[in-house]
Each structure stands twice: as structure tokens, then as C-alpha cells.
Amino acid sequence: MQLSGPIATAFPKARNSRQAQVSWGSKIITVGGDAPVRIQSMTNTDTADVIGTAIQVKELALAGSEMVRLTVNTPEAAMAVAPIREQLDRMGIEVPLIGDFHYNGHRLLTDHPDCAQALSKYRINPGNVGKGDKRDRQFGQMIEVAMRWNKPVRIGVNWGSLDQELLASLMDENSQRATPWDAKPVMYEALITSALESAQRAVDMGMNANQIILSCKVSGVQDLIAVYRELARRCDYPLHLGLTEAGMGSKGVVASATALSILLQEGIGDTIRVSLTPQPGESRTQEVVIAADILQALELRSFVPSVTACPGCGRTTSTTFQELTKQIEDFLRAQMPVWRDKYPGVEKLKVAVMGCIVNGPGESKHADIGISLPGTGEAPAAPVFIDGEKRMTLRGEAIATEFQAIVENYIEKRFGNADAVEVV
């Protein structure tokens, strides 16, 4: 057999969009262009509950959300935004806050300047800013406030609240074609047209185009892919990606990962949100974890050390490798809020926890640090590989504890200061 030539690495295409900035205090988040794809999330607390909302924002930020969106739907919610911001600042959480406005945003932003100032970005839905002659006037009021306080905006179109007048107009236009389109492509066009025309209206009012981010969110995977491919072709604004309602559990995770990965691989998308319906008792932070996992799987960003583990088979009847894998993953994830500053680069660490001799040694050698636990019928020994070389063998009942200590020691030595202890 002869090699015909090197196989190209299938990294995502480079993105081609403007850059916007979302900031608060010393925290400046660049969106678009060659900036990293950013993770966004949204609270599900009553925004009028200052303490409860601030606590959830902190949890989302510590989990890795770089921007957090709040519902601002009532005067009480608007009045709570500045106190929420102050509470977060006291806790040392500088994550930018985004105000999510529907129907009455023009009044809330105008009547509550403290809210307008405390937010770092406004989300405007052109489908529900008003009807008839009120639409342009009320949309304009929100843009004027954004310009007054120098805030970027996301013009976020949603097919569940699409501008019905625009849709009806495009349907009428479609009916006059010699060969009319099906209804779905007309809806796609309505979504894209609403976003682009609204953005142009904001620019015509004097808003800097570099302060505009667009989204056209739908619930279907194929619909999202089709809409964003066309939207990206027709503009160079930064784009926010996400299924508007991904669903619960594995359905929501799979749908979001499928749609976002295809688009991100094509260089489409500058911020993402995984809109999971939390399962009963599940933390809101799960949507942030999934978003980070998508970006890390695509090798677009690194957030937490990765753990390679086998699925198990008849050779791995012991649950030890499963328990150790979970223990190590939980430990690494829990330490990251501290380690990000203490051990720069640790998020790129690769750990392997394998369950038998078949692939165990090989995967462990590919990782920075790995262990191959004994499978059924194998000698009760667990070789540990560090930087591709076998360094020791663990035996006995304390393998899990000893391996975690070895991982900690390795991290301190490789990513810590010069006084760290040597890896054995």
C-alpha cells in the first residue's frame, strides 16, 4: 500500500463577519470576525427577584457563559436590572447582561434609564415591536436608546413571532410568481428579510453597523441550517445561532449539537445558545455545559480538560473505570473556575480513563495522562502513562484516589509555577 498524499484536517472554515463588542466594567467581549465563538445563556428566574436572578447569573457565568440574557417584560423587571447589576459587581461577576425585550421594550428602555445603562446589549424582536405605523416608531425608539447609551443590539427574528404583515406581503408576492414557491421557503425569506431590513433601518437612523448582531431562530434543525446559510450569504453581520426551542434531554442536546455543528463547521455563527428545557431538578447551567462541549468537540475552543473513556463491553464488567471517569470529569470541571487563572492552558489537558487492555494503553499514550484499568480476567494492575510513556503501575483498592492525586500533581507541575512538585 502506498500513501497518495496527506489527508487534510477538516477544521471549520474561517468566519467572515464584522466585529461587535459587548462589555461591562473591564470585561470586553468581542463578537464576530476572528474572535472566538461566544457562549450565551438566559436566566429563567423572575427578573424582579433581584437576589434570585443575580445568583443564577453568577452560576451561569461561572459555568462558562460569557453573556447572560434577562427577560425584561415589566416595569418591575426593568427596575430590578440595575440592582442585579450592582449585586453582580459586588460578587465580582462582570459578565455582560443582555435585556430581552418584546412588545413594550420601547417604553421600558425610555422610562427606566438605569435599566438601559446597566444592560450591555439589547435584544430586539422586530416581529413584536408594534404593528402598522407604530412598528417603525417603536423600533426607532429602542434604537435611539441604544445609540444614546452606546449599546449594541441583537435584532433577533423568531419564526414563532414573525412579522405577520411582512409574511403576508411576501405570500402575496409569491402567489404572483409563474411558479410559486412552497410555503416554507417563503417563511425563510420572511425571516431573513425581517432581520436585514431591520438592521438597515437601524443603520439609516445612524447606528454603527458594527454594533448590530442578527439572528433568525427556528425550532427545526434543517430549517435552521437553510435559513442561516442564506442569511450568512447575504450579510456580514455577526450571527447568533440557536434553535429557539431545542427541547428536553437527549432530544434537545442532539438537535442543538447537530444544527450548530454543521453551521459552525461551515464558518457560520459568532455566538451560540443551547435552549434546553431543563429536566425537573436540573441546573440551568446545563445549557452552558452543552454549548461548551459543542465548541470543544469541534476544536473551536477549549474550556475544560477532556476525558477520553471507553464505553465498556464484556471485557469491562467492573464499574471501576466508569466511576473513575465520572470522578475525574466532575473533579476537573469543578476546579476550572479556580484553575483558569491559576493554571493557564490547563483547559487543553487530555486525560484517558480506559477499562481494559485492548485500547487502554494506546489511548493512554495519546493523552497527556492516562490510566488503563484491568478488565475481566486481566492482571489486577493499572498502568499509568504520562506524556506518552508508561511511568508507573497502580494496584490495590486505592487506584482511583491515587490516580486523581497523580492528575493534580501533573497539572501543578505542567501548568503551575516553577516551585511546583515534580511529576513522579
Side-chain angles (χ1 to χ4, degrees), residues 138-155:
Q138 291 173 179
F139 176 84
Q141 285 179 260
M142 299 182 76
I143 296 300
E144 286 172 355
V145 173
M147 289 192 294
R148 183 182 311 141
W149 299 113
N150 194 30
K151 306 290 185 179
V153 300
R154 172 163 69 91
I155 296 174

Side-chain angles (χ1 to χ4, degrees), residues 27 41-45 49-70 83-97 283-286 288-289 336-338 340:
K27 178 78 73 175
S41 61
M42 186 174 184
T43 59
N44 60 358
T45 56
D49 175 5
V50 172
I51 299 301
T53 301
I55 289 172
Q56 190 174 83
V57 171
K58 178 181 178 180
E59 291 172 349
L60 291 166
L62 291 178
S65 183
E66 294 162 291
M67 293 171 274
V68 178
R69 185 155 45 111
L70 313 174
I84 290 169
R85 179 73 269 170
E86 293 167 3
Q87 180 66 32
L88 290 168
D89 291 344
R90 285 194 291 270
M91 294 189 291
I93 304 297
E94 286 190 317
V95 63
L97 299 179
S283 171
R284 187 67 165 180
T285 59
Q286 186 65 11
V288 180
V289 173
M336 279 309 295
V338 174
R340 283 189 189 100

Side-chain angles (χ1 to χ4, degrees), residues 349-396:
L349 178 73
K350 296 185 184 300
V351 181
V353 180
M354 304 300 292
C356 80
I357 200 170
V358 174
N359 292 318
E363 288 286 359
S364 296
K365 289 177 183 178
H366 289 312
D368 295 305
I369 182 168
I371 187 170
S372 178
L373 294 166
T376 302
E378 296 175 10
V384 175
F385 296 82
I386 297 175
D387 295 329
E389 297 179 1
K390 182 180 175 181
R391 302 290 292 274
M392 66 197 72
T393 300
L394 303 181
R395 293 180 173 85

Side-chain angles (χ1 to χ4, degrees), residues 119-342:
L119 293 170
S120 296
K121 186 174 76 169
Y122 311 150
R123 185 277 173 105
I124 303 173
N125 185 342
N128 57 32
V129 294
K131 296 182 179 180
D133 60 352
K134 291 183 178 180
R135 182 179 61 232
D136 288 353
R137 183 173 71 253
Q138 291 173 179
F139 176 84
Q141 285 179 260
M142 299 182 76
I143 296 300
E144 286 172 355
V145 173
M147 289 192 294
R148 183 182 311 141
W149 299 113
N150 194 30
K151 306 290 185 179
V153 300
R154 172 163 69 91
I155 296 174
V157 184
N158 190 311
W159 75 347
S161 51
L162 185 57
D163 183 339
Q164 293 303 300
E165 294 177 17
L166 172 61
L167 179 59
S169 174
L170 289 177
M171 286 290 191
D172 288 343
E173 181 181 323
N174 182 56
S175 68
Q176 305 302 314
R177 288 189 172 95
T179 305
W181 298 352
D182 292 335
K184 185 169 281 190
V186 179
M187 181 172 285
Y188 293 169
E189 183 61 32
L191 287 162
I192 295 166
T193 298
S194 178
L196 295 178
E197 288 187 350
S198 298
Q200 188 57 52
R201 191 174 299 123
V203 171
D204 291 344
M205 290 181 62
M207 188 166 206
N208 188 332
N210 289 330
Q211 289 189 301
I212 297 173
I213 299 168
L214 299 184
S215 66
C216 289
K217 297 177 79 172
V218 298
S219 297
V221 170
Q222 294 291 0
D223 298 313
L224 192 81
I225 294 168
V227 168
Y228 271 89
R229 281 174 173 166
E230 181 64 13
L231 180 62
R233 188 184 69 81
R234 288 162 59 176
C235 77
D236 62 356
Y237 291 107
L239 302 180
H240 172 71
L241 301 184
L243 294 168
T244 186
E245 288 101 12
M248 181 182 284
S250 61
K251 183 268 181 187
V253 173
V254 171
S256 294
T258 301
L260 270 57
S261 295
I262 289 172
L263 290 168
L264 291 168
Q265 187 73 16
E266 295 178 6
I268 299 171
D270 301 282
T271 70
I272 64 171
R273 183 194 172 202
V274 175
S275 299
L276 289 182
T277 302
Q279 299 196 56
E282 184 178 67
S283 171
R284 187 67 165 180
T285 59
Q286 186 65 11
E287 68 174 54
V288 180
V289 173
I290 299 302
D293 284 347
I294 292 170
L295 294 179
Q296 187 150 334
L298 288 170
E299 299 184 34
L300 287 169
R301 298 186 67 181
S302 296
F303 297 94
V304 66
S306 64
V307 179
T308 299
C310 64
C313 67
R315 299 178 62 93
T316 56
T317 53
S318 169
T319 61
T320 302
F321 83 97
Q322 299 169 339
E323 294 163 357
L324 180 56
T325 299
K326 186 176 189 312
Q327 178 181 322
I328 292 295
E329 281 195 343
D330 290 348
F331 170 71
L332 295 174
R333 198 175 292 277
Q335 294 301 312
M336 279 309 295
V338 174
W339 284 355
R340 283 189 189 100
D341 294 327
K342 187 176 181 181

